[in-house]
Amino acid sequence: MTLGLHLWGRRSVSPTRRSTRRSLARRGVPRAAALALLLATVTACANDVPKADWSRGLLPTSITTQGDTITNLWNGAWIAALATGVVVIVLIVWACIFHTRRRAKAELPPQVRYNLPIEIFYTLVPLVMVSVFFFFTARDTREVDAVSGKPDVQVKVEAFQWSWRFTTVVGGKTLKPVTGTPVSDYHQGPQLVLPVNKRVEFDLSSPDVIHSFWVPAFLFKRDVIPGLLENDKGRKFEITTLNKPGVYAGRCAELCGVDHSRMLFNVKLVPQAEYDQYIATQTGSAQ
Ligand SMILES: [Cu+2]
C-alpha cells in the first residue's frame, strides 16, 4: 500500500514540481557552502575556548575551589541522569521483548489503573529524584554564591562598551587600574593578575548596558547590571584561586553591542612571590 502510493506519487510529479525540485537542489549547494563557511568561522572564533576532555565531563579545567564544586555538581547530575536513562531504556526494551501482544491471544493484558501502591510508587520516585537534584543544586549554588567579606584581594570590575577596567585593592593598597580596548585575541585584552591560593572578591558594575563577566576556567559567569548600588545583591561574588598558574581567557557573555565579541580579557594566575613583585610595580603613584 505504502509502496503503491509512493510509486503513484512519483509518476504524477508535474513538470513544474520537478523544476522546483531542481531549483531547490541548486539552492542547496550555496546553502551547504554557507553552512561550511559558518562552521569554519565558528571553529575559528572558538580558539580561546579552553581544552575540554571527557574526564571532567567536557568542562574546562577549573582554577577555583568554587569551580571544583560546579564540576562535581555537573558530573554528579550527568551520572544520575545517565543511570536513570539506563534503567528506563532497560525497562522499555524488557517490555518490548517480553510483554508484546501475542497474535494468538489478543485480549487486553492485566490493567493497573487505580492500583494505589503503583500510583504512589510512580508519584514518589520522580519526587525523590527531583528533590535529590534540588538539594545538591541548592547546596552548591549557596556555596558558589557565598561572599565571606574577608577577601585577600578585592577587584573592582567595570564593564563598558566594549572592554573592561580592573581596579585591584590588596593589603590596603589600590593598584593602577588596568583598562582595555576591544581586541580580537584575549591575550591582547586587559590583564587581571591574581595570586594563587587566595580569596578574591569581585565587585561588578557597568556605566552603560548589561554585560556579563565570564572566565570559563572559573566555571562561573555573572551579569554586570548597570544601576546596582554598592551593596546590592548580585554585584559581588568571591572565588578562591587554586594553585594553577597560567593565563586564562575571559570574555563578555551578554550581547552588548557592536564590539561585544571583542570584549576580551585575560586572568593571569601567578605564585605569591610573583604577585608581590607585580604589586610593587603597580602601586606607583596610586594612593
Ligand atoms: Cu559586554
Side-chain angles (χ1 to χ4, degrees), residues 232-244:
D232 283 348
K233 218 174 171 317
R235 257 184 74 136
K236 287 183 180 158
F237 73 94
E238 191 178 286
I239 56 161
T240 307
T241 54
L242 296 174
N243 190 12
K244 289 184 179 165

Side-chain angles (χ1 to χ4, degrees), residues 211 252 254 256 260 263:
H211 301 272
C252 177
E254 181 73 53
C256 57
H260 156 72
M263 204 170 150

Side-chain angles (χ1 to χ4, degrees), residues 159-164 206 208-213 224 251-257 259-261 263:
F160 55 89
Q161 284 171 320
W162 290 277
S163 195
W164 308 83
S206 158
D208 42 53
V209 298
I210 302 178
H211 301 272
S212 184
F213 180 84
V224 189
R251 51 169 62 242
C252 177
E254 181 73 53
L255 183 58
C256 57
D259 258 345
H260 156 72
S261 65
M263 204 170 150

Side-chain angles (χ1 to χ4, degrees), residues 20-31:
T20 324
R21 272 191 192 173
R22 230 175 284 140
S23 72
L24 270 176
R26 239 179 283 140
R27 252 183 279 153
V29 177
R31 254 188 219 168

